[in-house]
Amino acid sequence: MFIDTVAVSMTTIRSYDLYKVPPRWVFLRIETSSGLVGWGEPIIEGRADTVIAAVEELMDKYLIGEESAKIEHHWQLLYRGGFFRGGPILMSAIGGIDQALWDIKGKQHGAPVHDLLGSNVREQVRVYQNINSDDTDDYRDLANEAVEAGYNVLKLFPATQRQYVEGPEEIDEICRRVEIVRETVGPTVDIAVDLHGRISTSMCQRLCSRLDEFDPIFIEEPVRPERMLSIDRQSLSFQSPLALGERLHTRWEFKTHFNQIPIDIAQPDPTHAGGISEVRRIADIADANGIDLVFNCSVGPIASSSCLHLAAYAPNTVMQPTPANRYISDYIENPDVFSQQDSYVDVPSKPGLGIHIDRETVTEQAGNSVNWQNPIWRHDDMSFAEW
Ligand SMILES: [Mg+2]
């Protein structure tokens, strides 16, 4: 007897709930007619209410009563149906919905999401630890702690509040922080440097060429997003790989950047860039351009798990941020899914996204006031400073 089909009953989207929870996250729960539930994380950090309004509008207008499995069909409608497209709010709203629909589809088929994307190409995903302090003296201890915890890659944020154009003392201080970490961890631990868009295009050239000496695995977002397209490797003297993309939101934005500037590492975010569906495409386009991936993920467990599935699928993945975070384990019943062996997390193997959200805790926490905003920094003359 040959079996070439397995009955998978059609399931429609029946209802949804949104939860704004500490520290700065939004969880979307979609329930279907068959009782299957999927979770997504639609959020732009600091603009939670705006994204919630967008999700409500999209769900109510387009998705209630529709078949949950038609993910790409829905993606096209959500992206193109309003005539105006793209941007962080719409793409993050679509991103959270898309994650929840993939979660449902995986559960429907009894398969992890990466299996539905093709398959996993790796068993584990490398993860990095952030190191961030305003005090240069902290960098040695923080680096030691991370290495003792097993990390073999660290990401530093050495450029705290900066004027766009700085003198030698400030440049020396940024370099000193990276130098301390290199001295502490030696050559076998990788160091990434995230400049958080805090420096000018002209300072980028001066600073990044100095950072080459410490062999960073990459230098991330040296200048603010609207200035990224001004970076021209020919006019710059630094050799370190260039990473960016956490503030790009569609495959077309990535394509423009891939075509115009010499990116070595793309950093799409599975929430902010339109969900698993769109980030998968960005991953493939990056691969076709000879560009590797370090996924961005600065929010909660559902986005982190989405990241792991994409990292499992995409051969050009280098690593992603560690999901080790107190808040993440607060919201899931199976925190072992994120358990780490040194600098590695196993690819999830359970159906869907592979995490069990603790709805009771989520409901409880959603009652608490959550109004996280990123800090607003000012220079001495009160002009705006990049956070
Ligand atoms: Mg960054």
Side-chain angles (χ1 to χ4, degrees):
M1 180 178 148
F2 296 97
I3 298 175
D4 57 8
T5 58
V6 174
V8 176
S9 60
M10 192 179 95
T11 181
T12 56
I13 297 169
R14 187 164 62 192
S15 62
Y16 71 94
D17 294 288
L18 285 152
Y19 305 88
K20 190 163 71 158
V21 296
R24 57 179 185 179
W25 302 338
V26 173
F27 295 166
L28 166 67
R29 178 184 185 275
I30 294 181
E31 191 168 324
T32 63
S33 54
S34 62
L36 282 174
V37 165
W39 290 84
E41 207 170 333
I43 177 72
I44 274 285
E45 302 92 305
R47 297 288 182 266
D49 294 331
T50 319
V51 180
I52 284 173
V55 172
E56 287 170 345
E57 191 163 32
L58 295 174
M59 291 297 300
D60 294 343
K61 257 186 194 153
Y62 299 120
L63 294 186
I64 295 295
E66 296 297 320
E67 189 178 345
S68 62
K70 298 182 80 173
I71 299 175
E72 186 56 29
H73 179 79
H74 299 320
W75 196 98
Q76 292 291 320
L77 176 64
L78 300 182
Y79 181 74
R80 299 164 69 186
F83 188 67
F84 298 98
R85 297 129 200 246
I89 302 300
L90 177 65
M91 298 316 292
S92 299
I94 294 174
I97 294 169
D98 182 85
Q99 290 163 3
L101 295 181
W102 276 106
D103 193 23
I104 291 166
K105 191 165 198 161
K107 289 168 183 170
Q108 203 174 1
H109 291 265
V113 168
H114 58 72
D115 223 24
L116 300 183
L117 298 176
S119 78
N120 56 320
V121 298
R122 54 176 56 83
E123 303 295 328
Q124 294 188 308
V125 178
R126 193 184 188 198
V127 295
Y128 65 83
Q129 170 78 305
N130 288 337
I131 290 191
N132 192 359
S133 174
D134 290 348
D135 186 344
T136 301
D137 292 338
D138 290 343
Y139 279 75
R140 192 176 305 279
D141 287 347
L142 290 170
N144 267 324
E145 279 167 28
V147 172
E148 277 165 23
Y151 286 97
N152 62 24
V153 55
L154 314 175
K155 190 164 96 174
L156 320 184
F157 296 76
T160 45
Q161 185 170 341
R162 293 290 149 203
Q163 300 283 347
Y164 276 123
V165 179
E166 293 281 16
E169 192 182 358
E170 284 72 22
I171 290 180
D172 283 350
E173 188 183 30
I174 294 172
C175 291
R176 180 66 190 138
R177 290 172 177 177
V178 181
E179 184 181 26
I180 286 170
V181 174
R182 177 55 79 203
E183 280 169 7
T184 305
V185 304
T188 57
V189 172
D190 287 321
I191 298 172
V193 177
D194 186 351
L195 295 173
H196 227 244
R198 288 177 184 155
I199 60 173
S200 67
T201 312
S202 59
M203 189 174 160
C204 173
Q205 181 173 349
R206 289 192 293 150
L207 173 62
C208 296
S209 58
R210 290 269 307 272
L211 292 175
D212 281 341
E213 183 188 343
F214 311 113
D215 283 327
I217 188 172
F218 59 80
I219 297 176
E220 174 176 336
E221 232 184 15
V223 303
R224 63 191 209 235
E226 59 273 23
R227 288 188 170 188
M228 285 298 183
L229 291 172
S230 308
I231 298 178
D232 172 0
R233 181 61 61 84
Q234 259 105 49
S235 68
L236 297 174
S237 50
F238 74 90
Q239 300 300 314
S240 303
L242 175 65
L244 61 85
E246 72 179 81
R247 289 188 265 187
L248 301 179
H249 306 290
T250 61
R251 79 195 85 155
W252 298 283
E253 287 189 17
F254 276 90
K255 179 186 171 194
T256 302
H257 284 70
F258 293 165
N259 286 346
Q260 292 190 36
I261 53 174
I263 298 174
D264 301 289
I265 291 172
Q267 299 177 291
D269 185 303
T271 286
H272 305 330
I276 293 167
S277 301
E278 186 68 351
V279 171
R280 175 209 194 159
R281 291 187 274 264
I282 293 165
D284 291 341
I285 296 167
D287 196 27
N289 281 277
I291 293 169
D292 289 324
L293 300 162
V294 172
F295 292 103
N296 186 70
C297 185
S298 55
V299 286
I302 306 160
S304 288
S305 181
S306 301
C307 240
L308 285 172
H309 286 272
L310 285 159
Y313 156 80
N316 46 336
T317 299
V318 180
M319 59 184 178
Q320 71 177 66
T322 174
N325 173 319
R326 184 179 72 80
Y327 286 101
I328 279 183
S329 52
D330 286 350
Y331 291 113
I332 51 178
E333 291 166 348
N334 59 334
D336 55 305
V337 73
F338 293 132
S339 67
Q340 221 167 294
Q341 303 85 47
D342 297 325
S343 233
Y344 297 88
V345 174
D346 286 345
V347 166
S349 57
K350 296 253 170 20
L353 291 175
I355 50 172
H356 302 147
I357 297 288
D358 177 352
R359 193 182 180 194
E360 205 174 309
T361 303
V362 169
T363 307
E364 258 171 45
Q365 291 295 322
N368 293 331
S369 158
V370 184
N371 285 307
W372 185 89
Q373 292 299 316
N374 62 258
I376 299 298
W377 288 355
R378 296 275 170 196
H379 296 303
D380 291 343
D381 63 3
M382 292 308 289
S383 60
F384 187 86
E386 292 289 326
W387 171 60

